[in-house]
Structure formats: C-alpha cells, structure tokens
Amino acid sequence: MTTPEAARVLVVGATGELGRLATRELFDRGAHLALAGRNERRLAEMAARSGCPTRVLDAYDLDACAGAGPWALSELGGLDGVLVTVGVAGFGPAVAVPNAAAEHLMTVNALCPMAVLRGAVPVVRDGGFLSAISGAIVIAPLTGTADYAASKAALACWLGVLAREVRRRRIAVVDARLRHLDTGFASRAVVGSPPPLQRGADPAPEVHELVDELMGYLDDLAPERTSTTPGQVGTAPARRR
C-alpha cells in the first residue's frame, strides 16, 4: 500500500507502548507528526530524535484534549488524520471496584479519546481519518472486567455514531479493536489483577497493519469509509487485518 506523501497526523498517547510503535511506523512512512502524551521526558526524547512538535497532555484535562486537534493543525499546517492510543486497564468484580477507579477508567479510556476526536472533527480534512483503540474486550468481555470493558464499550459506541455523523465528509472513523497484546498493559492496571490471560500477541505487526489501514484511507475516495478493526460496527466493511 502506498503511503500518501507527507500525511499530517496527530498521535495522542504517543509515549505509551502502542503510541510509540505507531509513531515509529508513521514516521518511517514519511508522515509529518504532532505528538501528544503524558510522559514529558519521553516526549522530549521523541522530539529530539524526530523534530516533531510535542505537547504534554493530561487525560483529565478534557478541554486540553479537545484542543489537541487545533494545536496539531497549527503546528503541521493541516491535519489528515488523528490516532488516539490512550488507555489504562483495571480489573475486579463490579461490586469491588472503587468509584474513583471506575471514574479513572471511564475518563482515560472513553472521555479523553472522545474529547480529542470531538475537537479534531472541525479541523481534520475531508477524506481524512479519526481513530481510537477500543480493543477486543468490547467483543468478548471477561468476568472481572466490568468497568474496564464498559469504558471501552462506551468509546466504541461513540465512534460508531460519530462515523455516521461525518460520513458526508468522507472521514473514516476507525475503531481499532486490537487483540490482547504483549505490552505489559494488564500488569500496569490502576486497580485489581487481570483474570487468567493467554500470552499476548506481538504488538508490532498489529500496529503495522493498523497504520497500513489508516494510511490507506487517505488514498481511498469512496463516500463511505467506516471501519472497526477487526469486526464491524458501522456503515462500511472493515479492512480486515
């Protein structure tokens, strides 16, 4: 698949495991990037290596999250796509998860990416893409993951509705339902311990294929381009990965 020359992309969550992989993939394909994330030190290192504009972003500052798209537009001189890789895990029976932990899961996993993409809708170009990672947990949630699954399901539902709302502008809304990956994500849970899980898959090929899909949408001028990855919740067939 040919990558459009100098695609201008905002990556939010760029300092996390998946965000760093996606950033490397996009940079290697010649994309011009604006990077936002929580870890200031990692952002500084990434900026020093790549020359990309960076911005520290707190998931709880939803107004700042909504401003990430306009900031990227200003920095890059245009915006072709947005990828949000922000996320946090949390486990435990529904009756045992503290309300503060439940609020944290919903804020980081749903409200933050929703705010980023909401703010990006007016500034991303027609025919561009908006994407966030929900995960396979949306399809088959396990016992002991009620609050975590609910936060990801809220994001997935929101993306599905957004896809219909931006269809006339030919914007691809991609709900990336990546399978369980070996990133140490579950071991960094904000609450509880994960249920028994099989060893996660290598994240590099998954991220490579996701970026392949996103870049492909910039070449695709079909009027309906909504995708879930994998699975389908939207108005157009997913590109299978």
Side-chain angles (χ1 to χ4, degrees), residues 27 33 45-54:
F27 187 77
L33 304 177
E45 292 171 352
M46 296 168 87
R49 287 196 305 268
S50 67
C52 297
T54 62

Side-chain angles (χ1 to χ4, degrees), residues 129-142:
F129 67 80
L130 301 169
S131 180
I133 296 174
S134 63
I137 193 167
V138 170
I139 303 168
L142 302 173

Side-chain angles (χ1 to χ4, degrees), residues 68-153:
W71 164 77
L73 175 73
S74 175
E75 292 287 339
L76 301 176
L79 191 60
D80 300 308
V82 180
L83 171 60
V84 184
T85 65
V86 172
V88 66
F91 306 103
V95 298
V97 173
N99 288 328
E103 178 189 29
H104 186 72
L105 290 167
M106 192 62 71
T107 300
V108 176
N109 292 339
L111 297 180
C112 166
M114 287 158 58
V116 170
L117 297 180
R118 179 183 295 114
V121 168
V123 296
V124 72
R125 74 165 174 85
D126 291 1
F129 67 80
L130 301 169
S131 180
I133 296 174
S134 63
I137 193 167
V138 170
I139 303 168
L142 302 173
T143 301
T145 67
D147 289 272
Y148 175 38
S151 65
K152 290 293 191 176

Side-chain angles (χ1 to χ4, degrees), residues 124-204:
V124 72
R125 74 165 174 85
D126 291 1
F129 67 80
L130 301 169
S131 180
I133 296 174
S134 63
I137 193 167
V138 170
I139 303 168
L142 302 173
T143 301
T145 67
D147 289 272
Y148 175 38
S151 65
K152 290 293 191 176
L155 173 60
C157 177
W158 188 87
L159 290 170
V161 176
L162 176 66
R164 300 197 301 272
E165 293 177 350
V166 300
R167 186 183 308 163
R168 288 186 179 180
R169 292 179 55 197
R170 307 185 318 282
I171 295 174
V173 175
V174 181
D175 173 5
R177 297 184 180 180
L178 304 185
R179 55 182 170 162
H180 175 51
L181 301 174
D182 186 15
T183 62
F185 183 69
S187 66
R188 299 189 296 273
V190 295
V191 63
S193 299
L197 298 169
Q198 293 183 342
R199 183 173 180 175
D202 182 356

